[in-house]
Amino acid sequence: MSGGRVGTGFDAHRLVPGRKLMLGGVEVAHPRGLEGHSDGDCAIHALCDALLGAAGEGDMGRHFPSADPRWKDASGASFLERAARLVDARGFSVENVDVTVIAEEPVLAPYIDKMRAVLGRCLALETERVSVKAKSTDGMGATGRGEGIAAIATVLLTKRE
Ligand code: MG
């Protein structure tokens, strides 16, 4: 493979009562959800930034500004589908994506395969090329105290001939 383009993304949102917890495009059972202008899905937002970064297309703030009412309550899946279309329109194919969610709780293991399936569907990518992992910080820091959830993502794109 030649001409690979790597991208990384990061995002974090605050956990607040009265919101659904959406992560990786999947609703996760939890008493609190992620605050945000959109649905707050930091895993997908990190992934979108990684895709846009690899394609040299800036970040989510440029393409989906939170000041724009169009993106109010927008689902992570809708952002990811748009980012994937943009990457495709620039002549890139996604080789693989790898997302790490950083959360003290809830335990995300039961949701990982569903997240991989949803992300793969948005990206038109086979599940084997979609990785989602969950880590805690052993109680340290803001995520460790449960103030919020963070995520990092890495993607590899290749330019089509
Ligand atoms: Mg975000």
Short mmCIF file of all heavy atoms in Angstrom, two decimals, residues 67-122:
data_model
loop_
_atom_site.label_atom_id
_atom_site.label_comp_id
_atom_site.label_asym_id
_atom_site.label_seq_id
_atom_site.Cartn_x
_atom_site.Cartn_y
_atom_site.Cartn_z
N ALA A 67 -22.89 26.44 16.23
CA ALA A 67 -23.75 27.62 16.15
C ALA A 67 -24.85 27.44 15.10
O ALA A 67 -25.83 28.19 15.08
CB ALA A 67 -22.91 28.85 15.79
N ASP A 68 -24.69 26.41 14.26
CA ASP A 68 -25.65 26.19 13.17
C ASP A 68 -26.81 25.33 13.69
O ASP A 68 -26.59 24.18 14.10
CB ASP A 68 -24.92 25.48 12.02
CG ASP A 68 -25.78 25.33 10.78
OD1 ASP A 68 -27.03 25.30 10.91
OD2 ASP A 68 -25.22 25.22 9.69
N PRO A 69 -28.04 25.85 13.67
CA PRO A 69 -29.18 25.09 14.21
C PRO A 69 -29.43 23.76 13.48
O PRO A 69 -30.08 22.88 14.03
CB PRO A 69 -30.37 26.04 14.03
CG PRO A 69 -29.92 27.11 13.09
CD PRO A 69 -28.42 27.17 13.17
N ARG A 70 -28.87 23.62 12.27
CA ARG A 70 -29.02 22.35 11.54
C ARG A 70 -28.48 21.16 12.33
O ARG A 70 -28.92 20.04 12.17
CB ARG A 70 -28.21 22.42 10.23
CG ARG A 70 -29.05 22.50 9.00
CD ARG A 70 -28.21 22.32 7.75
NE ARG A 70 -26.98 23.12 7.74
CZ ARG A 70 -26.01 22.97 6.83
NH1 ARG A 70 -26.11 22.04 5.91
NH2 ARG A 70 -24.95 23.75 6.86
N TRP A 71 -27.47 21.42 13.17
CA TRP A 71 -26.80 20.32 13.86
C TRP A 71 -27.31 20.13 15.28
O TRP A 71 -26.78 19.31 16.02
CB TRP A 71 -25.27 20.53 13.87
CG TRP A 71 -24.75 20.86 12.52
CD1 TRP A 71 -24.04 21.97 12.17
CD2 TRP A 71 -24.90 20.10 11.31
NE1 TRP A 71 -23.76 21.96 10.83
CE2 TRP A 71 -24.27 20.82 10.28
CE3 TRP A 71 -25.52 18.88 11.00
CZ2 TRP A 71 -24.23 20.37 8.96
CZ3 TRP A 71 -25.49 18.44 9.69
CH2 TRP A 71 -24.85 19.17 8.70
N LYS A 72 -28.38 20.89 15.65
CA LYS A 72 -28.92 20.72 17.00
C LYS A 72 -29.49 19.30 17.12
O LYS A 72 -30.28 18.86 16.28
CB LYS A 72 -30.00 21.77 17.27
CG LYS A 72 -30.73 21.57 18.57
CD LYS A 72 -31.04 22.88 19.25
CE LYS A 72 -31.86 22.65 20.53
NZ LYS A 72 -31.25 21.67 21.44
N ASP A 73 -29.08 18.61 18.17
CA ASP A 73 -29.52 17.23 18.45
C ASP A 73 -29.16 16.24 17.32
O ASP A 73 -29.72 15.15 17.26
CB ASP A 73 -31.04 17.17 18.71
CG ASP A 73 -31.43 18.00 19.93
OD1 ASP A 73 -30.64 18.03 20.89
OD2 ASP A 73 -32.52 18.63 19.91
N ALA A 74 -28.24 16.65 16.44
CA ALA A 74 -27.86 15.75 15.34
C ALA A 74 -27.22 14.48 15.91
O ALA A 74 -26.46 14.53 16.88
CB ALA A 74 -26.88 16.45 14.40
N SER A 75 -27.55 13.35 15.29
CA SER A 75 -26.99 12.09 15.77
C SER A 75 -25.54 11.95 15.32
O SER A 75 -25.14 12.49 14.28
CB SER A 75 -27.80 10.92 15.22
OG SER A 75 -27.58 10.77 13.83
N GLY A 76 -24.77 11.21 16.10
CA GLY A 76 -23.41 10.91 15.72
C GLY A 76 -23.37 10.22 14.36
O GLY A 76 -22.53 10.52 13.52
N ALA A 77 -24.31 9.31 14.16
CA ALA A 77 -24.33 8.57 12.89
C ALA A 77 -24.48 9.51 11.70
O ALA A 77 -23.84 9.32 10.67
CB ALA A 77 -25.47 7.55 12.91
N SER A 78 -25.30 10.56 11.85
CA SER A 78 -25.49 11.49 10.73
C SER A 78 -24.20 12.25 10.45
O SER A 78 -23.86 12.51 9.29
CB SER A 78 -26.65 12.43 10.99
OG SER A 78 -26.35 13.35 12.02
N PHE A 79 -23.44 12.62 11.49
CA PHE A 79 -22.14 13.28 11.28
C PHE A 79 -21.16 12.33 10.59
O PHE A 79 -20.43 12.72 9.68
CB PHE A 79 -21.52 13.72 12.61
CG PHE A 79 -22.18 14.90 13.25
CD1 PHE A 79 -22.50 14.89 14.59
CD2 PHE A 79 -22.46 16.06 12.53
CE1 PHE A 79 -23.09 15.98 15.20
CE2 PHE A 79 -23.05 17.16 13.13
CZ PHE A 79 -23.37 17.11 14.47
N LEU A 80 -21.16 11.10 11.06
CA LEU A 80 -20.18 10.14 10.53
C LEU A 80 -20.46 9.83 9.06
O LEU A 80 -19.54 9.73 8.25
CB LEU A 80 -20.19 8.86 11.38
CG LEU A 80 -19.13 7.82 11.03
CD1 LEU A 80 -17.73 8.43 11.08
CD2 LEU A 80 -19.23 6.63 11.97
N GLU A 81 -21.75 9.70 8.72
CA GLU A 81 -22.09 9.46 7.32
C GLU A 81 -21.64 10.64 6.45
O GLU A 81 -21.12 10.45 5.35
CB GLU A 81 -23.60 9.22 7.18
CG GLU A 81 -23.99 7.83 7.63
CD GLU A 81 -25.48 7.68 7.86
OE1 GLU A 81 -26.24 8.66 7.63
OE2 GLU A 81 -25.89 6.58 8.27
N ARG A 82 -21.83 11.86 6.96
CA ARG A 82 -21.40 13.04 6.19
C ARG A 82 -19.88 13.09 6.05
O ARG A 82 -19.36 13.39 4.99
CB ARG A 82 -21.90 14.31 6.87
CG ARG A 82 -23.36 14.59 6.62
CD ARG A 82 -23.78 15.92 7.27
NE ARG A 82 -24.99 16.42 6.69
CZ ARG A 82 -26.22 16.01 7.03
NH1 ARG A 82 -26.36 15.07 7.95
NH2 ARG A 82 -27.29 16.52 6.46
N ALA A 83 -19.18 12.82 7.15
CA ALA A 83 -17.71 12.83 7.09
C ALA A 83 -17.21 11.77 6.12
O ALA A 83 -16.27 12.00 5.35
CB ALA A 83 -17.13 12.60 8.49
N ALA A 84 -17.87 10.60 6.13
CA ALA A 84 -17.46 9.51 5.23
C ALA A 84 -17.69 9.90 3.77
O ALA A 84 -16.85 9.62 2.91
CB ALA A 84 -18.25 8.24 5.57
N ARG A 85 -18.80 10.58 3.51
CA ARG A 85 -19.07 11.03 2.13
C ARG A 85 -18.02 12.03 1.66
O ARG A 85 -17.59 12.01 0.51
CB ARG A 85 -20.47 11.66 2.05
CG ARG A 85 -21.58 10.63 1.87
CD ARG A 85 -22.82 11.25 1.22
NE ARG A 85 -23.45 12.26 2.05
CZ ARG A 85 -24.34 11.99 3.00
NH1 ARG A 85 -24.70 10.74 3.22
NH2 ARG A 85 -24.87 12.95 3.71
N LEU A 86 -17.63 12.92 2.58
CA LEU A 86 -16.63 13.94 2.23
C LEU A 86 -15.28 13.30 1.92
O LEU A 86 -14.63 13.65 0.93
CB LEU A 86 -16.52 14.88 3.43
CG LEU A 86 -15.95 16.26 3.18
CD1 LEU A 86 -16.72 17.28 4.02
CD2 LEU A 86 -14.49 16.29 3.53
N VAL A 87 -14.90 12.34 2.76
CA VAL A 87 -13.64 11.61 2.55
C VAL A 87 -13.68 10.89 1.19
O VAL A 87 -12.72 10.93 0.42
CB VAL A 87 -13.43 10.63 3.72
CG1 VAL A 87 -12.44 9.53 3.37
CG2 VAL A 87 -12.99 11.39 4.97
N ASP A 88 -14.81 10.27 0.90
CA ASP A 88 -14.97 9.55 -0.36
C ASP A 88 -14.91 10.52 -1.54
O ASP A 88 -14.27 10.24 -2.55
CB ASP A 88 -16.31 8.81 -0.33
CG ASP A 88 -16.54 8.02 -1.61
OD1 ASP A 88 -15.80 7.05 -1.83
OD2 ASP A 88 -17.44 8.39 -2.39
N ALA A 89 -15.54 11.67 -1.39
CA ALA A 89 -15.56 12.66 -2.48
C ALA A 89 -14.16 13.22 -2.76
O ALA A 89 -13.89 13.68 -3.87
CB ALA A 89 -16.52 13.80 -2.12
N ARG A 90 -13.28 13.18 -1.78
CA ARG A 90 -11.90 13.63 -1.97
C ARG A 90 -11.01 12.52 -2.55
O ARG A 90 -9.81 12.69 -2.67
CB ARG A 90 -11.29 14.11 -0.64
CG ARG A 90 -11.94 15.34 -0.04
CD ARG A 90 -11.64 16.60 -0.86
NE ARG A 90 -12.35 17.74 -0.29
CZ ARG A 90 -13.61 18.08 -0.58
NH1 ARG A 90 -14.30 17.37 -1.46
NH2 ARG A 90 -14.18 19.11 -0.01
N GLY A 91 -11.61 11.36 -2.82
CA GLY A 91 -10.88 10.28 -3.47
C GLY A 91 -10.18 9.33 -2.52
O GLY A 91 -9.28 8.59 -2.93
N PHE A 92 -10.59 9.35 -1.25
CA PHE A 92 -9.95 8.47 -0.27
C PHE A 92 -10.85 7.29 0.07
O PHE A 92 -12.08 7.41 0.10
CB PHE A 92 -9.65 9.23 1.03
CG PHE A 92 -8.61 10.30 0.89
CD1 PHE A 92 -8.96 11.64 0.89
CD2 PHE A 92 -7.27 9.96 0.77
CE1 PHE A 92 -8.00 12.63 0.76
CE2 PHE A 92 -6.30 10.95 0.65
CZ PHE A 92 -6.67 12.29 0.65
N SER A 93 -10.21 6.16 0.37
CA SER A 93 -10.91 5.01 0.95
C SER A 93 -10.43 4.82 2.38
O SER A 93 -9.26 5.06 2.67
CB SER A 93 -10.60 3.74 0.16
OG SER A 93 -11.05 3.88 -1.17
N VAL A 94 -11.32 4.38 3.24
CA VAL A 94 -10.96 4.12 4.62
C VAL A 94 -10.42 2.70 4.73
O VAL A 94 -11.09 1.75 4.30
CB VAL A 94 -12.18 4.28 5.56
CG1 VAL A 94 -11.78 4.06 7.01
CG2 VAL A 94 -12.83 5.65 5.38
N GLU A 95 -9.21 2.56 5.24
CA GLU A 95 -8.62 1.24 5.44
C GLU A 95 -9.09 0.63 6.75
O GLU A 95 -9.50 -0.53 6.80
CB GLU A 95 -7.09 1.33 5.45
CG GLU A 95 -6.50 1.66 4.09
CD GLU A 95 -6.78 0.56 3.07
OE1 GLU A 95 -6.72 -0.62 3.42
OE2 GLU A 95 -7.08 0.91 1.91
N ASN A 96 -8.96 1.39 7.83
CA ASN A 96 -9.43 0.92 9.13
C ASN A 96 -9.59 2.10 10.07
O ASN A 96 -9.05 3.18 9.83
CB ASN A 96 -8.47 -0.11 9.74
CG ASN A 96 -7.19 0.51 10.24
OD1 ASN A 96 -6.44 1.10 9.45
ND2 ASN A 96 -6.92 0.41 11.53
N VAL A 97 -10.37 1.89 11.10
CA VAL A 97 -10.54 2.90 12.14
C VAL A 97 -10.38 2.22 13.50
O VAL A 97 -10.69 1.04 13.65
CB VAL A 97 -11.90 3.63 12.06
CG1 VAL A 97 -12.15 4.18 10.66
CG2 VAL A 97 -13.05 2.73 12.48
N ASP A 98 -9.88 2.99 14.45
CA ASP A 98 -9.66 2.45 15.81
C ASP A 98 -10.05 3.54 16.80
O ASP A 98 -9.49 4.62 16.79
CB ASP A 98 -8.18 2.08 15.95
CG ASP A 98 -7.88 1.31 17.23
OD1 ASP A 98 -8.84 0.84 17.88
OD2 ASP A 98 -6.69 1.19 17.58
N VAL A 99 -11.04 3.23 17.62
CA VAL A 99 -11.59 4.21 18.56
C VAL A 99 -11.39 3.70 19.99
O VAL A 99 -11.66 2.52 20.26
CB VAL A 99 -13.11 4.43 18.31
CG1 VAL A 99 -13.68 5.44 19.29
CG2 VAL A 99 -13.37 4.85 16.87
N THR A 100 -10.91 4.55 20.87
CA THR A 100 -10.83 4.21 22.29
C THR A 100 -11.72 5.17 23.08
O THR A 100 -11.56 6.39 22.98
CB THR A 100 -9.39 4.31 22.82
OG1 THR A 100 -8.55 3.41 22.08
CG2 THR A 100 -9.33 3.94 24.31
N VAL A 101 -12.66 4.61 23.81
CA VAL A 101 -13.53 5.40 24.68
C VAL A 101 -12.95 5.36 26.09
O VAL A 101 -12.59 4.29 26.59
CB VAL A 101 -14.97 4.84 24.69
CG1 VAL A 101 -15.87 5.65 25.62
CG2 VAL A 101 -15.54 4.80 23.28
N ILE A 102 -12.84 6.52 26.73
CA ILE A 102 -12.25 6.61 28.06
C ILE A 102 -13.36 6.98 29.03
O ILE A 102 -13.86 8.12 29.03
CB ILE A 102 -11.12 7.66 28.08
CG1 ILE A 102 -10.07 7.30 27.02
CG2 ILE A 102 -10.50 7.75 29.48
CD1 ILE A 102 -9.20 8.46 26.59
N ALA A 103 -13.79 5.99 29.82
CA ALA A 103 -14.93 6.19 30.72
C ALA A 103 -14.74 5.32 31.96
O ALA A 103 -14.34 4.16 31.85
CB ALA A 103 -16.23 5.80 30.02
N GLU A 104 -15.03 5.89 33.11
CA GLU A 104 -14.98 5.10 34.34
C GLU A 104 -16.16 4.14 34.40
O GLU A 104 -16.03 3.00 34.82
CB GLU A 104 -14.99 6.05 35.55
CG GLU A 104 -14.50 5.42 36.83
CD GLU A 104 -13.03 4.98 36.77
OE1 GLU A 104 -12.27 5.57 35.97
OE2 GLU A 104 -12.66 4.04 37.49
N GLU A 105 -17.31 4.62 33.99
CA GLU A 105 -18.52 3.80 33.90
C GLU A 105 -19.44 4.44 32.87
O GLU A 105 -19.26 5.63 32.57
CB GLU A 105 -19.21 3.67 35.27
CG GLU A 105 -19.56 4.98 35.90
CD GLU A 105 -20.29 4.80 37.23
OE1 GLU A 105 -20.26 3.70 37.81
OE2 GLU A 105 -20.91 5.79 37.65
N PRO A 106 -20.40 3.72 32.34
CA PRO A 106 -20.71 2.31 32.60
C PRO A 106 -19.70 1.38 31.91
O PRO A 106 -18.88 1.82 31.12
CB PRO A 106 -22.09 2.16 31.96
CG PRO A 106 -22.08 3.13 30.83
CD PRO A 106 -21.28 4.31 31.33
N VAL A 107 -19.83 0.09 32.24
CA VAL A 107 -19.04 -0.93 31.55
C VAL A 107 -19.55 -1.03 30.11
O VAL A 107 -20.75 -1.23 29.89
CB VAL A 107 -19.18 -2.29 32.28
CG1 VAL A 107 -18.51 -3.40 31.47
CG2 VAL A 107 -18.59 -2.21 33.66
N LEU A 108 -18.66 -0.86 29.15
CA LEU A 108 -19.08 -0.76 27.76
C LEU A 108 -18.92 -2.06 26.98
O LEU A 108 -19.40 -2.17 25.85
CB LEU A 108 -18.31 0.36 27.05
CG LEU A 108 -18.61 1.76 27.60
CD1 LEU A 108 -17.70 2.80 26.96
CD2 LEU A 108 -20.07 2.13 27.38
N ALA A 109 -18.29 -3.05 27.60
CA ALA A 109 -18.03 -4.31 26.88
C ALA A 109 -19.27 -4.87 26.18
O ALA A 109 -19.19 -5.31 25.03
CB ALA A 109 -17.42 -5.35 27.82
N PRO A 110 -20.46 -4.85 26.82
CA PRO A 110 -21.63 -5.43 26.16
C PRO A 110 -22.08 -4.66 24.92
O PRO A 110 -22.91 -5.15 24.16
CB PRO A 110 -22.73 -5.36 27.24
CG PRO A 110 -22.04 -5.10 28.53
CD PRO A 110 -20.76 -4.39 28.21
N TYR A 111 -21.57 -3.46 24.72
CA TYR A 111 -22.02 -2.61 23.61
C TYR A 111 -21.01 -2.52 22.45
O TYR A 111 -21.31 -1.96 21.41
CB TYR A 111 -22.28 -1.19 24.12
CG TYR A 111 -23.34 -1.12 25.18
CD1 TYR A 111 -23.02 -1.14 26.53
CD2 TYR A 111 -24.69 -1.03 24.84
CE1 TYR A 111 -23.99 -1.08 27.51
CE2 TYR A 111 -25.67 -0.97 25.81
CZ TYR A 111 -25.32 -1.00 27.14
OH TYR A 111 -26.29 -0.94 28.11
N ILE A 112 -19.81 -3.04 22.69
CA ILE A 112 -18.72 -2.82 21.73
C ILE A 112 -19.05 -3.36 20.34
O ILE A 112 -18.86 -2.66 19.34
CB ILE A 112 -17.41 -3.45 22.25
CG1 ILE A 112 -16.94 -2.76 23.54
CG2 ILE A 112 -16.32 -3.44 21.17
CD1 ILE A 112 -16.41 -1.37 23.38
N ASP A 113 -19.56 -4.58 20.26
CA ASP A 113 -19.81 -5.17 18.94
C ASP A 113 -20.91 -4.42 18.20
O ASP A 113 -20.85 -4.25 16.98
CB ASP A 113 -20.15 -6.66 19.06
CG ASP A 113 -18.89 -7.49 19.28
OD1 ASP A 113 -17.78 -6.98 19.02
OD2 ASP A 113 -19.02 -8.66 19.72
N LYS A 114 -21.90 -3.94 18.95
CA LYS A 114 -22.96 -3.17 18.31
C LYS A 114 -22.40 -1.84 17.79
O LYS A 114 -22.74 -1.39 16.69
CB LYS A 114 -24.10 -2.93 19.31
CG LYS A 114 -25.36 -2.44 18.65
CD LYS A 114 -26.57 -2.57 19.56
CE LYS A 114 -27.79 -1.93 18.87
NZ LYS A 114 -28.80 -1.52 19.82
N MET A 115 -21.52 -1.20 18.58
CA MET A 115 -20.88 0.03 18.11
C MET A 115 -20.09 -0.22 16.83
O MET A 115 -20.18 0.55 15.87
CB MET A 115 -19.93 0.59 19.18
CG MET A 115 -20.61 1.12 20.42
SD MET A 115 -19.36 1.71 21.60
CE MET A 115 -20.35 1.90 23.09
N ARG A 116 -19.34 -1.30 16.81
CA ARG A 116 -18.54 -1.61 15.62
C ARG A 116 -19.45 -1.79 14.40
O ARG A 116 -19.12 -1.32 13.30
CB ARG A 116 -17.73 -2.89 15.84
CG ARG A 116 -16.64 -2.73 16.89
CD ARG A 116 -15.94 -4.06 17.14
NE ARG A 116 -15.14 -4.47 16.01
CZ ARG A 116 -14.82 -5.74 15.74
NH1 ARG A 116 -15.27 -6.72 16.50
NH2 ARG A 116 -14.05 -6.02 14.70
N ALA A 117 -20.59 -2.44 14.60
CA ALA A 117 -21.51 -2.66 13.49
C ALA A 117 -22.10 -1.34 12.99
O ALA A 117 -22.18 -1.10 11.79
CB ALA A 117 -22.62 -3.62 13.92
N VAL A 118 -22.47 -0.47 13.93
CA VAL A 118 -23.06 0.83 13.53
C VAL A 118 -22.02 1.69 12.81
O VAL A 118 -22.30 2.26 11.75
CB VAL A 118 -23.63 1.56 14.77
CG1 VAL A 118 -24.02 2.99 14.42
CG2 VAL A 118 -24.82 0.80 15.34
N LEU A 119 -20.82 1.75 13.37
CA LEU A 119 -19.77 2.56 12.75
C LEU A 119 -19.43 2.01 11.37
O LEU A 119 -19.27 2.77 10.40
CB LEU A 119 -18.51 2.60 13.62
CG LEU A 119 -18.69 3.19 15.03
CD1 LEU A 119 -17.36 3.15 15.79
CD2 LEU A 119 -19.24 4.60 14.98
N GLY A 120 -19.34 0.69 11.26
CA GLY A 120 -19.03 0.07 9.98
C GLY A 120 -20.10 0.37 8.94
O GLY A 120 -19.79 0.62 7.77
N ARG A 121 -21.35 0.37 9.39
CA ARG A 121 -22.44 0.66 8.45
C ARG A 121 -22.34 2.11 7.96
O ARG A 121 -22.48 2.38 6.77
CB ARG A 121 -23.78 0.41 9.15
CG ARG A 121 -24.96 0.33 8.21
CD ARG A 121 -26.15 -0.32 8.88
NE ARG A 121 -26.65 0.49 9.99
CZ ARG A 121 -26.90 0.00 11.21
NH1 ARG A 121 -26.69 -1.27 11.47
NH2 ARG A 121 -27.35 0.79 12.15
N CYS A 122 -22.08 3.05 8.88
CA CYS A 122 -21.95 4.47 8.48
C CYS A 122 -20.79 4.67 7.51
O CYS A 122 -20.84 5.54 6.65
CB CYS A 122 -21.72 5.35 9.70
SG CYS A 122 -23.11 5.42 10.84
#
